[in-house]
Amino acid sequence: MTSSFLLVTFAIVCELIIAVGPTELLRIGAIDVDGHFTVHPSDLTSVSSDFGMLKSPEKPLAVLHPSSAEDVARLIRTAYGSATAFPVSARGHGHSINGQSSVGRNGVVVAMNHRKTGTPEPLVKPEEMYVDVWGGELWVDVLKKTLEHGLAPKSWTDYLYLSVGGTLSNAGISGQAFHHGPQISNVLELDVVTGKGEVKRCSEEENTRLFHGVLGGLGQFGIITRARISLEPAPQRVRWIRVLYSSFEVFTEDQEYLISMHGASKFDYVEGFVIVDEGLVNNWRSSFFSPRNPVKISSVSSNGSVLYCLEITKNYHDSDSETVDQEVEILMKKLNFIPTSVFTTDLQYVDFLDRVHKAELKLRSKNLWEVPHPWLNLFVPKSRISDFDKGVFKGILGNKTSGPILIYPMNKDKWDERSSAVTPDEEVFYLVALLRSALKDGEETQKLEYLKEQNRRILEFCEQAKINVKQYLPHHATQEQWVAHFGDKWDRFRSLKAEFDPRHILATGQRIFQSPSRSLFPPLSSSSSSASW
């Protein structure tokens, strides 16, 4: 061990003592876990920032790499019973945008994705059609494990390198959500460690309020350590189709028609995106078109400015390869896209689901992945989506976007209203996701402050136009804004917080609740109920 490392470690210990006091430091150091704690500078740095890179990096006091739910519970019981009630936050793949998984300088991060400490492997039950997974498991690894049994989860996110607990704390959406609902609508059971350090098993039959509260609950009531996910037979191949529109009204009519279809005679995935920048149609997410099929807006758009791309897929098995063409042709006949703009490819099911990771590797090779991402994700009610198009796509954005803009509708009846997730109060609503990347040395329209100002203008436009949008992956500056965000769900949300995290220990990076004066609380004791796999 080098003298420089000893000096760094001594400095960190001094910082810990200043932050939480010698008594609390001894409490943390004395926690008996099967995983391990670390205060190594590299470990602290690795959890000090997130994918968004919009907040200044802030190192926590320590990092816990747990090997079980009980490890997480022991840490939280220590925090709950301490004089300072130091904050604790779970971190999966660190894909938050606005520092939601941070705990500040006085907290402990639970690194849920650490596989070296013996966290449980996914356990597939083919007969019961479910898989039990550790909360920090990445969806891509869940997919690999379930495919060994010819099965797969029903609902996905576009990017698979996200943790199960992370997406379930928000909702988890992609082009399958119109039919299967978000990922939170496909959960059978959870193990949750509450803000009191209690391990609770919850489902429709047991601890029901906590079960629904945690799903979409932004980490406020507990840390998900296990999730039981519903499965279906996995297809082998995907017919992936993109078609273009120059009319927004026709584009949305077709999307809404597609998500209204039921039974086997329908597409399995419905998404879309807006093209206001000609260059974007031939890169990153749109690499589908390139290089053999480069698209120019001017060649297919009547106004030469904005195009809309419908993205649809049909899943099938190798044994159905002779009939899939006919099925797709029948479904396509009722759509009103530009006839010359059909782009089709065929690939393995796993390759389709993991399509964004390939784009990630390309961006990483160009040093364009680890840059600020001022993303803005909005749920827009169907009745106002045309106004949003005119004010934002054809107005505020201009002809430069610095990243993909997704747009697709979902059915509200596929969302369980008992969850904490918030959607507009209409039967159909749209996701609009502005997935922009900021470049320090790019054009003015690619710089961070420009894009953040554009986001502010979009939200201001919606407020002034009385478009009742709801943020997905929400970020609000004041509790008043959070109250407005949750609307009718706020009283229940606040009640759940008081019951399951009364000292406001968990997920303080969301900045939903004001931290109570922790020094006013006497040390508390709590019991724990164990939960086995």
Side-chain angles (χ1 to χ4, degrees):
M1 187 175 294
T2 65
S3 58
S4 60
F5 176 77
L6 290 172
L7 286 171
V8 170
T9 303
F10 177 74
I12 293 171
V13 171
C14 291
E15 187 176 336
L16 288 169
I17 293 173
I18 293 170
V20 300
T23 303
E24 301 308 321
L25 179 58
L26 289 173
R27 274 178 171 268
I28 297 172
I31 300 174
D32 181 20
V33 295
D34 295 323
H36 71 274
F37 279 100
T38 176
V39 293
H40 193 281
S42 63
D43 292 315
L44 301 183
T45 299
S46 69
V47 299
S48 65
S49 188
D50 62 9
F51 177 74
M53 296 179 63
L54 303 181
K55 303 289 184 181
S56 298
E58 197 167 26
K59 295 179 182 179
L61 289 177
V63 178
L64 169 64
H65 297 289
S67 65
S68 65
E70 187 56 31
D71 278 359
V72 179
R74 287 167 183 159
L75 169 64
I76 295 178
R77 285 199 295 270
T78 301
Y80 183 65
S82 71
T84 57
F86 55 86
V88 175
S89 184
R91 178 187 172 96
H93 198 53
H95 214 263
S96 60
I97 302 301
N98 289 283
Q100 287 93 334
S101 61
S102 67
V103 290
R105 295 165 60 88
N106 298 333
V108 177
V109 169
V110 182
M112 294 292 291
N113 66 338
H114 199 271
R115 296 297 302 276
K116 295 180 180 179
T117 49
T119 53
E121 294 284 340
L123 178 62
V124 182
K125 293 287 187 178
E127 299 81 9
E128 291 88 352
M129 297 293 282
Y130 70 73
V131 58
D132 277 334
V133 297
W134 171 249
E137 197 76 49
L138 299 183
W139 282 101
V140 67
D141 295 319
V142 177
L143 174 63
K144 291 174 182 176
K145 195 70 175 181
T146 58
L147 284 177
E148 293 175 5
H149 302 267
L151 303 172
K154 301 172 183 177
S155 192
W156 294 97
T157 54
D158 286 342
Y159 181 59
L160 299 187
Y161 288 74
L162 304 173
S163 69
V164 170
T167 66
L168 297 185
S169 295
N170 288 280
I173 55 175
S174 184
Q176 306 86 5
F178 79 93
H179 176 58
H180 291 296
Q183 290 178 322
I184 58 173
S185 293
N186 295 276
V187 179
L188 305 176
E189 188 176 275
L190 297 171
D191 285 346
V192 175
V193 182
T194 72
K196 297 179 181 179
E198 299 171 329
V199 182
K200 297 278 191 180
R201 176 157 295 172
C202 48
S203 64
E204 287 281 5
E205 292 77 33
E206 185 178 5
N207 294 310
T208 306
R209 288 182 70 248
L210 180 62
F211 177 68
H212 292 295
V214 166
L215 294 172
L218 306 177
Q220 292 302 300
F221 318 124
I223 293 175
I224 297 171
T225 55
R226 179 184 65 90
R228 179 166 291 176
I229 309 297
S230 178
L231 302 176
E232 66 177 357
Q236 294 171 311
R237 299 196 66 80
V238 171
R239 180 65 50 84
W240 185 9
I241 305 154
R242 286 178 174 176
V243 293
L244 298 176
Y245 296 76
S246 58
S247 165
F248 185 73
E249 288 69 27
V250 176
F251 168 69
T252 52
E253 283 176 8
D254 277 2
Q255 281 195 320
E256 289 165 19
Y257 163 72
L258 290 172
I259 72 163
S260 72
M261 300 177 73
H262 303 286
S265 297
K266 66 177 185 312
F267 285 109
D268 298 289
Y269 162 102
V270 177
E271 284 199 17
F273 53 94
V274 182
I275 305 164
V276 302
D277 182 343
E278 187 170 281
L280 280 178
V281 78
N282 297 312
N283 65 27
W284 192 36
R285 185 181 175 90
S286 308
S287 58
F288 180 97
F289 295 120
S290 179
R292 288 185 298 174
N293 296 315
V295 176
K296 287 192 173 294
I297 290 179
S298 57
S299 66
V300 289
S301 175
S302 59
N303 57 23
S305 59
V306 181
L307 282 175
Y308 308 95
C309 179
L310 172 65
E311 183 175 56
I312 45 184
T313 70
K314 185 66 179 174
N315 300 337
Y316 68 99
H317 293 276
D318 289 334
S319 58
D320 301 323
S321 58
E322 294 183 4
T323 61
V324 68
D325 289 339
Q326 184 178 1
E327 287 185 61
V328 168
E329 184 179 353
I330 292 171
L331 290 169
M332 297 281 285
K333 279 182 178 179
K334 295 189 178 181
L335 303 181
N336 298 293
F337 50 86
I338 299 170
T340 57
S341 69
V342 181
F343 302 88
T344 302
T345 191
D346 200 278
L347 67 170
Q348 296 282 344
Y349 178 65
V350 64
D351 292 332
F352 172 73
L353 291 180
D354 200 26
R355 62 199 179 280
V356 176
H357 181 55
K358 295 178 181 178
E360 174 193 350
L361 296 177
K362 291 180 182 178
L363 290 176
R364 284 188 182 278
S365 69
K366 300 176 182 179
N367 295 319
L368 294 176
W369 183 257
E370 293 183 359
V371 297
H373 297 94
W375 287 9
L376 180 64
N377 296 271
L378 301 173
F379 290 148
V380 183
K382 169 189 168 181
S383 64
R384 304 301 305 276
I385 194 65
S386 181
D387 296 323
F388 191 93
D389 169 60
K390 293 170 186 172
V392 178
F393 301 151
K394 295 187 176 84
I396 293 172
L397 292 182
N399 63 354
K400 295 290 182 181
T401 63
S402 193
I405 307 169
L406 308 189
I407 175 172
Y408 56 90
M410 288 174 277
N411 294 308
K412 190 178 180 72
D413 64 3
K414 298 297 183 178
W415 293 63
D416 194 323
E417 279 301 292
R418 295 171 296 175
S419 78
S420 295
V422 178
T423 61
D425 191 23
E426 291 189 10
E427 289 308 305
V428 172
F429 60 91
Y430 281 78
L431 170 74
V432 175
L434 294 99
L435 310 181
R436 282 96 70 80
S437 301
L439 303 178
K440 185 177 180 181
D441 299 322
E443 300 177 11
E444 182 64 27
T445 55
Q446 296 175 312
K447 293 185 177 178
L448 179 59
E449 289 308 314
Y450 180 92
L451 296 173
K452 288 170 67 175
E453 171 61 17
Q454 206 170 61
N455 286 347
R456 187 198 64 76
R457 289 175 58 202
I458 291 169
L459 292 172
E460 184 180 70
F461 163 76
C462 292
E463 184 176 2
Q464 291 178 351
K466 293 182 169 54
I467 302 176
N468 186 26
V469 299
K470 295 294 184 181
Q471 287 190 36
Y472 177 59
L473 312 178
H475 172 65
H476 295 290
T478 67
Q479 190 167 87
E480 181 183 14
Q481 291 173 336
W482 280 111
V483 172
H485 170 80
F486 283 106
D488 293 342
K489 292 189 177 185
W490 173 250
D491 287 342
R492 183 182 65 182
F493 197 84
R494 183 174 57 180
S495 173
L496 287 167
K497 186 69 170 179
E499 181 177 355
F500 294 107
D501 185 22
R503 298 194 71 184
H504 298 187
I505 290 167
L506 299 175
T508 55
Q510 294 280 3
R511 295 174 176 83
I512 299 174
F513 295 96
Q514 299 293 324
S515 297
S517 179
R518 296 190 169 96
S519 61
L520 297 179
F521 287 78
L524 302 169
S525 61
S526 82
S527 60
S528 165
S529 61
S530 62
S532 64
W533 284 79

